[in-house]
């Protein structure tokens, strides 16, 4: 599906998995189909994904937390270039603000601005 360490545009990613081209956790048919992350908002990615308290991020994080299947994870390299770093599945989900604090350092978010932190694990394709 995607080649490890190769860069893709959001259009390329969308063509393969679908979902919203602007969302960092695009969904299709009620499931999160990828993670398109920015290092400045997710400095511990791909092992941890930070979801802010905005309604879209809260809903996407909640949806992903319930999923068992892996999703392709991409890290933003430039304005529309995302490097594929592998397939990951949720291992744990933290929603208590004090549990989230260790994972939000460097994001610019306060613990009150975070709805969830997802601990991810790599899954072989």
């Amino acid at each position: 599906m995607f080649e490890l360490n190769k860069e893709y545009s959001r259009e390329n990613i969308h063509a393969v998995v679908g979902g919203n081209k602007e969302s960092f956790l695009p969904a299709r048919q009620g499931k999160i189909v990828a993670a398109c992350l920015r290092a400045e908002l997710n400095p511990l990615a791909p092992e941890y994904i930070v979801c802010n308290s905005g309604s879209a991020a809260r809903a996407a994080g909640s949806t992903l937390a319930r999923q068992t299947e892996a999703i392709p994870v991409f890290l933003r390299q430039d304005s529309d270039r995302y490097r594929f770093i592998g397939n990951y599945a949720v291992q744990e989900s933290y929603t208590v603000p004090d549990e989230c604090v260790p994972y939000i350092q460097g994001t610019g978010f306060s613990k009150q601005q975070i709805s969830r932190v997802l601990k991810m694990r790599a899954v072989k394709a």
Side-chain angles (χ1 to χ4, degrees), residues 53-110:
S53 59
S55 61
R58 183 183 297 118
S62 177
T63 298
L64 182 55
R66 292 189 306 270
Q67 286 183 209
T68 56
E69 62 272 7
I71 59 170
V73 176
F74 301 85
L75 279 181
R76 184 177 176 193
Q77 304 299 298
D78 204 348
S79 62
D80 191 32
R81 304 304 307 163
Y82 290 79
R83 182 171 52 92
F84 175 60
I85 54 175
N87 293 306
Y88 286 77
V90 174
Q91 183 174 335
E92 291 183 59
S93 176
Y94 307 110
T95 57
V96 175
D98 287 339
E99 291 178 339
C100 296
V101 168
Y103 311 107
I104 64 170
Q105 303 303 314
T107 64
F109 292 121
S110 69

